[in-house]
Structures are given as C-alpha cells and as structure tokens.
Amino acid sequence: MTESHPFFSPKTHGFVRVAAATPVSHVGDPVENAQAHLALIRQAADQGVDLMVFPELSLSAYAIDDLHMQAALLDEVERQVAVLAQATGGATAEHELIAVVGAPLRQGDALFNCAVVMGGGEVLAVVPKTYLPNYREYYEKRWFAPATARTEDVIRLNGETVDFAPGLIFEATNRPGFVFAVEICEDYWAPLPPSTRAALAGARILLNLSASNIVIGKADERAMLSASHSARTLSAYVFAASGWGESTTDLAWDGQATIHELGSKLAEGERFALENHLTIADVDVDRIGLDRLRNGTFADCARNEGEAATVVPFMARDVPPPLGEGDREAVEGVGAAPLRHGAARRATSPRGGGFALIRPLDRFPFVPDDAGRLDQDCYEAFNIQVQGLMRRMAATNGERLVIGVSGGLDSTQALLVACRAFDRLNLPRSNILGFTMPGFATSEGTKSNAWALMKALGVTGAEIDIRPAAEQMFKDIGHPYAAGEPVHDITFENVQAGLRTDYLFRLANQNRAFVLGTGDLSELALGWATYGVGDHMSHYNVNGGVAKTLIRHLIRWVADRELVGAEASPTLHAILNTEISPELVPAKDGAIQSTEGTVGPYALNDFFLFYISRFGMAPSKVAFLAHQAWSDAGAGQWPVNTPDGEKVEYDLATIKAWLRKFLIRFFQTAQFKRSALPNGPKVVTGGSLSPRGDWRAPSDGNARVWLDELEANVPD
C-alpha cells in the first residue's frame, strides 16, 4: 500500500478545503492590501485549500468613507484585481485555487460593493451586494448602489467582460458537489438572505465577505446566524470579517472567522489577531448532498421558492488520479491521524491532495469528546428512555415489569431506566422483578454483580438456573451435548438465550407484568440477538435506540450522579470494567467468550453504523473517516473518563476487515430481525433501526454492491 493512493486524499471522498482569510487591512491602500492577499493565497495553496474568502471590501479597506468615491483609488483596485486573479491558477501559476475578494467596482455611473470571484488565472464573475445598511453606524447608500441598480448582468473589468449579478452559482466541472455562492455582510442579516435561494438552487457552500464591526455580544450573534443558516439551508457557511488595520475613527473590528456545516462549527479563527491568518476546514459537500437527498422539505422548498440561477463553471484542483503504471510522488503525512484543531500538514505535492483531514471528527459519533456536551447528551438520552417507559406503563396501566439481569452493560442500563421510571411514577421498586438466569458459561463475577445491583437498587430479585431445562431440550432434540459431547454450536447458544426469554414472558404472564427488553442499537445493527423467543423480543425495549458505546457513558453518568442511589455506584463501576460477553459458551484455555472477538470492536461498529445509516455514505468513505479517527490513539481528544485501556488504535487493514463483516451483517443477514422489532424510543441523532422509523429495508437484500465498492476503492 502506498500513501499516494487516491484513497488517502480527502478530495477523493467529497471534501472541499475552505479557508476564511483575515488579512491585516491597510486603509485606502489597494497595493499593500493586495500584497497581504497574495501572502494568504500562497499560504492557502500550500495547505491544499480549494476555496478561500476574504472580508468585505478587502482590497480598499471598508472604513474609508468618501475615499471610495476617489477615481485614483478605484483605478488601483481594478489593477490589483488583475494581479490577484493571475495568482489563482493558469498554465504558469504557482498556485491553483478559487479566491473571493472584496472590492468597490464601477458599472456605468454607479459604484457597487462587490465580491470578485477568481480562479484559473482570471476573474470568473462578480457578485454585487444586495442589501446596503443605512442605519446606526452604517451609511453605505452614500457611496454604493444596491445590486438591483445594475444596468446589465455583465461588468467590464480590465478589458474583460464577466457575469455581474447576485445569486450566481459557481460549480466545479470536475468535482461533484463543489458548488458555492457568495453574499456580502448585510445580505445574511436580511429576513431572506440571497444565499437562501442560492442554496435552493444547488449551492452547498455559502460564503460571506463581511466588514461587520464589533461590539459586545455581536460575535455570538454572528456565529448564531452562521450556524442556524447552515442548518436551515443544509449547507456549509464560511464567514470572514474585517480585522486589525481598519480605521478606528468611530468603530473597531475583531476579524471574526467561522466555518459551519449543517449547524455544527467546524472551525473558528482567532479574534483580534494582529497578523495575517487563515481559518481552514474541510467541508463535506458529499454529506451535504446526501442530507438534502433525504430531506423532502428541502426539495419541496426548492420547488416552491427556488428560482433559476446563472451557473458559472470552473475547474477546481483535481482529485488525485487512480494509480497506474509509473511512479507517483508520495505525499508526506497522508493517512496519519487527523489534525482536529490545527493547521494542515505540509505535503510534498499540494496538487496531489495529500493532506490529513482538517475538521472535528469524533472517534465515537454517538459520544461527543466535549465534556459539557457529553453531560447534556447523557441527560437527554437517559430521560428519553425513562419517559418512553413511563408512557408505556401509563398507557397499559402497568404496575410491574420483568427484566433479565445478567450483570452486563445492556441489562444494567435497562434496569437503571426502570428504577428511575418507577420512582417518577411513584411506584415501588419492589414491583420491578429482576431475574438472573445462570447458564453453562455464566461467570461468578457477572452473577454476583447482578445480585449486588438488584439488592442495591431495592428491586425484587430472584434466580432461575436454566441448565436443567436446557439439558432436557438438548435431549429432546437430540443435540450432541446431551450425549456428553462438548459441542458448543449456535444451537447450544440459542437454547440458552431462548429459554431465558421464554421464562421472562411466562413470568410476566404470572405477575401481570410486561417484559422489558435490554438489547441495544449496536446489537440490532449487527443482528447480534436470538430471533423471536430470544433476546430479540420483549414487550418494550428502552435500549433499542442507544448505541453500545453510549451505554457505557450513560451507566457511568448515572453512577457518578447517584441518580438511583449511592449504594449502586460501586457495582455499576464494576460492571463497566467487565468484558462484553454473551456468556453462552464455556471459557476455553481461560479465555471467556468475547462478543467483540466475533462481531468486531463496538467502537468501530458504531462508527460504521453512524455514517452508513445516518448519511448513506459509501463504504470507502466510511473507511477513510475511520482511518482518520482511529489510526493514532495519541492524536485528538477522547471522551472524558475513557479508561486508558480503551484508548486503542486500528490500522487500515483492521478497519477494512471489520467493515467488510459489518456490511454483510447489516445489509444481508440481520434485516429480518429488525423488521420485527418491539417498540422502543428513538434516542440518538444517528437515528433508529425501527421498521416504523428511520430505517426501512428489505429482509431479503444482499451486501454485494457495498462490498464491491469497498474492495474497489480501499487499498489492502
């Protein structure tokens, strides 16, 4: 495997590297400003940037008032536009990217506040500002005409004629999904920003050139607008505001720069900086397209409110070509751990696209790295589970429930939810009937944890040894184990799993109760459940919408806050330290049966599940993201309280092998189980696998198309 393979380039997987540029401004000096622009263009090109945006009127500076009406200044602005355009590409250019620069430009007898879009060594088009503020400290109508005042849809600039209109759509002819639009400062403060219609017309990246001055609290307001606008338009929003160097006659500037995608912040620049700098992130235009594909409301709005837009085509920096005969220049740093909060690694060949991914990327998509966000997620997840169970009990006039308590993670979480629900319904916890049912491989550790937990929680506990019933069934069906042979096959396992569930249902009948399910979202994705009369079935399953990786943190969260009583916390921590096992097959050579040894690490499986079920991403892209997130245990952040022993890493070969098995299980062998799931609340943003909810698929499908894509595009 060589790191020059196209797989290792973010561009191969639908990422566009964007930058918000914050140059030091020189008041009324286009020549000096152009030099600052050139330095940032060089820096951006060296870091693999595809698209960069400068602040509003960045060539002239914004706060120059009546100097905007001076012919000498306007003439120099046009000359410097030509200089900058030549730096953005072409046959002899050192750099190759798209730059969007702010400039005051004339059309006929009017002056416009413009965004000049340049690339390939030329000006591609010019976008005039639509809404001109003329209130408080702004007096733009004194100097500029609004976009509606233009006399035609072209402008002559340095002897060339280019498109001149708001709402233009810029589309890369060689990079699917690389489509952007531009608006200027006040435009996105309007009730209907021009970029809204641009997004409806297909733009996936929205750029804002701003010279918004700073006062207390305004930075939060701008960030809120950018985040909400990117969420509502299902887009990425790149905001670049003027900074140090603007005239402080009456105002001040902070140089705020932010990049948002689908409502989430990807990057934020330093405010009040004194140096030229870039804020860089990789925008996932492929993900944006997949989200729009699934969102019928977006499509309906585009049909109802969208308008035809002029498309300006351009050639973007190429994705690296597939490997062929002959040498290809290797790229330094490709395939290494992601730089989640830093600058891109330098590459030997920027045109090759060989850079580590620059964007926040959680190793655990269901478990955020940020401690505050994790606390909020645990609070919401736990209460969603609790209220779901409360509502079901209220609807059925239920006063008792039956639950199997194994001493493992899932049954523990379900029992915690039950206790909290009973507390809130003013029902005695003694009405929770917990049963531990040891089989042929049950360890003393898990059984003792189960008993300790039931006693600490004050539920009614009991024990039923399923081995005599299992032995009778083995004898009845003629299984070799009944004749003394050590055959521990799937029948051996499922006889035990089925008996446990059978007992629970009959106990529920006997006690006028219902069976509380314990299986989680990750197990449903993998089909890791005994179908029908097995752990697949219950009267209500509170864990069906919760991923295994989140359940660990939920139990720890409940324990640390003593939400069900302090007595249970030591046992909860002991359960967290127990290896995940179905305990259906006796230990061999001292090693217990390992769930993750069979189905793969839940950390990887949950990663695969999130990106495949939530976004429908191609397996090769999922493998790329997993490699970026998991290839270096020492890079990036881990969720708070993650034990050191769980801070592991996986190479690409391991990721590919487990992803292959996940695809077979998810698309081919497990759907028939998901088509017959009991009720349970949807909890996580990745969605649920309920056939009545987010995931509806044929039980008779196969995984061929996903396996073929994986093999074709992920190197061995």
Side-chain angles (χ1 to χ4, degrees):
M1 180 175 66
T2 172
E3 290 180 341
S4 59
H5 193 288
F7 170 82
F8 294 103
S9 169
K11 294 176 175 57
T12 299
H13 304 283
F15 291 98
V16 173
R17 183 155 296 174
V18 300
T22 310
V24 173
S25 184
H26 300 271
V27 176
D29 191 344
V31 175
E32 194 64 31
N33 284 328
Q35 291 305 305
H37 283 54
L38 285 171
L40 287 169
I41 288 172
R42 294 188 189 102
Q43 183 181 344
D46 285 346
Q47 298 193 49
V49 169
D50 299 298
L51 173 65
M52 64 186 305
V53 57
F54 288 85
E56 182 179 14
L57 296 172
S58 56
L59 267 182
S60 61
Y62 178 84
I64 63 174
D65 298 336
D66 288 350
L67 299 187
H68 279 125
M69 311 301 289
Q70 292 291 312
L73 181 135
L74 297 175
D75 290 343
E76 190 60 53
V77 164
E78 292 191 21
R79 283 191 289 270
Q80 296 307 317
V81 164
V83 171
L84 294 181
Q86 290 176 3
T88 62
T92 61
E94 179 184 355
H95 314 293
E96 185 180 356
L97 49 69
I98 303 297
V100 183
V101 174
L105 297 176
R106 293 163 289 191
Q107 185 201 57
D109 296 327
L111 181 65
F112 294 86
N113 182 341
C114 299
V116 185
V117 182
M118 50 188 72
E122 62 183 1
V123 173
L124 300 175
V126 175
V127 177
K129 189 172 183 177
T130 299
Y131 297 107
L132 303 178
N134 224 54
Y135 56 90
R136 293 200 298 266
E137 61 265 33
Y138 299 109
Y139 308 99
E140 286 191 32
K141 290 181 180 178
R142 177 181 175 96
W143 311 293
F144 300 110
T148 52
R150 68 193 188 283
T151 55
E152 53 184 333
D153 289 338
V154 295
I155 189 171
R156 279 163 286 281
L157 192 59
N158 295 312
E160 301 292 332
T161 300
V162 297
D163 287 316
F164 179 61
L168 295 175
I169 304 295
F170 299 84
E171 182 170 4
T173 57
N174 60 332
R175 297 267 298 277
F178 186 174
V179 189
F180 71 91
V182 181
E183 62 187 3
I184 303 174
C185 201
E186 185 74 8
D187 288 346
Y188 98 136
W189 297 80
L192 181 61
S195 60
T196 298
R197 296 200 187 280
L200 295 175
R204 298 186 185 180
I205 304 173
L206 309 176
L207 308 179
N208 189 306
L209 302 82
S210 177
S212 173
N213 68 293
I214 187 62
V215 292
I216 293 173
K218 195 173 184 181
D220 290 340
E221 187 176 1
R222 292 186 297 218
M224 178 270 293
L225 283 172
S226 295
S228 61
H229 199 54
S230 72
R232 183 176 293 109
T233 59
L234 299 184
S235 68
Y237 202 90
V238 187
F239 179 87
S242 300
W244 171 254
E246 284 284 359
S247 173
T248 60
T249 302
D250 289 304
L251 303 172
W253 281 262
D254 66 335
Q256 185 173 12
T258 58
I259 303 171
H260 288 82
E261 177 186 298
L262 299 175
S264 297
K265 183 172 66 178
L266 299 185
E268 182 173 21
E270 180 186 355
R271 296 170 57 212
F272 301 105
L274 302 181
E275 306 284 342
N276 295 333
H277 65 279
L278 297 171
T279 303
I280 299 176
D282 287 321
V283 166
D284 193 345
V285 295
D286 176 62
R287 175 188 172 190
I288 290 169
L290 289 170
D291 230 32
R292 289 181 177 182
L293 190 68
R294 283 161 172 72
N295 191 306
T297 299
F298 183 91
D300 290 342
C301 189
R303 284 189 289 270
N304 293 339
E305 305 292 343
E307 298 176 351
T310 299
V311 176
V312 180
F314 66 94
M315 287 286 289
R317 183 184 304 211
D318 267 330
V319 171
L323 292 179
E325 296 300 324
D327 295 331
R328 298 203 183 279
E329 188 175 14
V331 178
E332 296 176 357
V334 180
L339 291 175
R340 292 174 175 78
H341 303 292
R345 294 184 175 90
R346 284 294 303 272
T348 316
S349 173
R351 294 177 187 269
F355 295 87
L357 194 64
I358 305 177
R359 63 184 277 124
L361 182 61
D362 289 333
R363 287 180 172 88
F364 300 92
F366 298 109
V367 184
D369 295 341
D370 179 74
R373 175 65 190 276
L374 178 57
D375 179 72
Q376 178 70 14
D377 283 10
C378 288
Y379 165 79
E380 292 184 346
F382 189 63
N383 281 286
I384 290 169
Q385 291 181 279
V386 169
Q387 288 212 355
L389 178 57
M390 290 172 61
R391 185 68 190 93
R392 176 51 56 91
M393 294 191 68
T396 59
N397 294 316
E399 294 185 357
R400 297 179 183 83
L401 61 78
V402 169
I403 180 174
V405 183
S406 68
L409 294 173
D410 292 340
S411 65
T412 295
Q413 176 61 17
L415 183 57
L416 296 176
V417 170
C419 288
R420 186 67 169 170
F422 272 57
D423 291 348
R424 297 193 66 184
L425 289 169
N426 295 316
L427 292 172
R429 289 187 187 178
S430 58
N431 282 11
I432 300 173
L433 311 180
F435 293 88
T436 180
M437 292 178 278
F440 298 104
T442 301
S443 67
E444 281 303 314
T446 56
K447 190 171 87 168
S448 63
N449 280 340
W451 269 112
L453 183 62
M454 290 189 289
K455 290 178 180 178
L457 293 174
V459 306
T460 300
E463 182 174 317
I464 298 176
D465 188 343
I466 66 169
R467 287 173 292 185
E471 288 169 347
Q472 182 63 48
M473 184 173 287
F474 290 142
K475 181 179 178 181
D476 292 343
I477 67 176
H479 191 274
Y481 187 82
E485 299 181 35
V487 177
H488 304 137
D489 57 8
I490 190 67
T491 304
F492 179 84
E493 295 187 45
N494 282 346
V495 162
Q496 297 172 77
L499 280 171
R500 284 174 175 145
T501 304
D502 198 6
Y503 273 117
L504 291 176
F505 272 99
R506 303 297 74 80
L507 287 163
N509 295 153
Q510 186 180 22
N511 292 280
R512 298 181 58 83
F514 66 83
V515 178
L516 187 65
T518 61
D520 63 49
L521 180 69
S522 308
E523 293 178 344
L524 294 174
L526 296 164
W528 191 247
T530 301
Y531 184 76
V533 184
D535 53 331
H536 163 261
M537 191 48 60
S538 63
H539 288 121
Y540 192 76
N541 184 9
V542 291
N543 286 345
V546 187
K548 182 81 76 178
T549 48
L550 179 57
I551 281 180
R552 283 185 173 276
H553 290 272
L554 281 169
I555 293 172
R556 186 176 290 114
W557 183 81
V558 171
D560 291 346
R561 284 155 185 76
E562 301 179 350
L563 293 182
V564 292
E567 297 83 359
S569 293
T571 303
L572 293 177
H573 285 291
I575 290 170
L576 287 169
N577 294 327
T578 302
E579 182 176 357
I580 300 172
S581 171
E583 293 194 327
L584 295 171
V585 174
K588 185 176 181 181
D589 298 328
I592 67 169
Q593 183 185 14
S594 170
T595 297
E596 292 182 298
T598 301
V599 300
Y602 277 113
L604 287 181
N605 283 320
D606 282 357
F607 193 96
F608 303 154
L609 172 63
F610 180 83
Y611 287 103
I612 286 175
S613 67
R614 171 65 178 84
F615 298 106
M617 289 183 180
S620 61
K621 181 169 183 175
V622 176
F624 170 78
L625 291 173
H627 188 232
Q628 290 284 318
W630 284 97
S631 63
D632 184 354
Q637 304 296 314
W638 289 85
V640 64
N641 295 324
T642 300
D644 289 341
E646 294 179 16
K647 294 179 180 179
V648 297
E649 59 189 47
Y650 300 103
D651 60 22
L652 183 59
T654 301
I655 290 168
K656 184 178 180 181
W658 285 122
L659 179 53
R660 185 185 295 111
K661 292 185 178 182
F662 175 89
L663 295 173
I664 294 170
R665 283 182 168 274
F666 186 76
F667 287 106
Q668 187 164 305
T669 65
Q671 181 57 41
F672 79 98
K673 297 180 182 180
R674 297 192 292 266
S675 295
L677 288 180
N679 293 165
K682 175 180 174 180
V683 177
V684 295
T685 56
S688 75
L689 294 176
S690 167
R692 301 166 297 276
D694 292 345
W695 183 257
R696 305 180 190 192
S699 296
D700 304 312
N702 69 79
R704 177 179 299 171
V705 66
W706 291 271
L707 293 172
D708 288 350
E709 198 281 339
L710 180 72
E711 295 302 328
N713 296 308
V714 180
D716 292 323

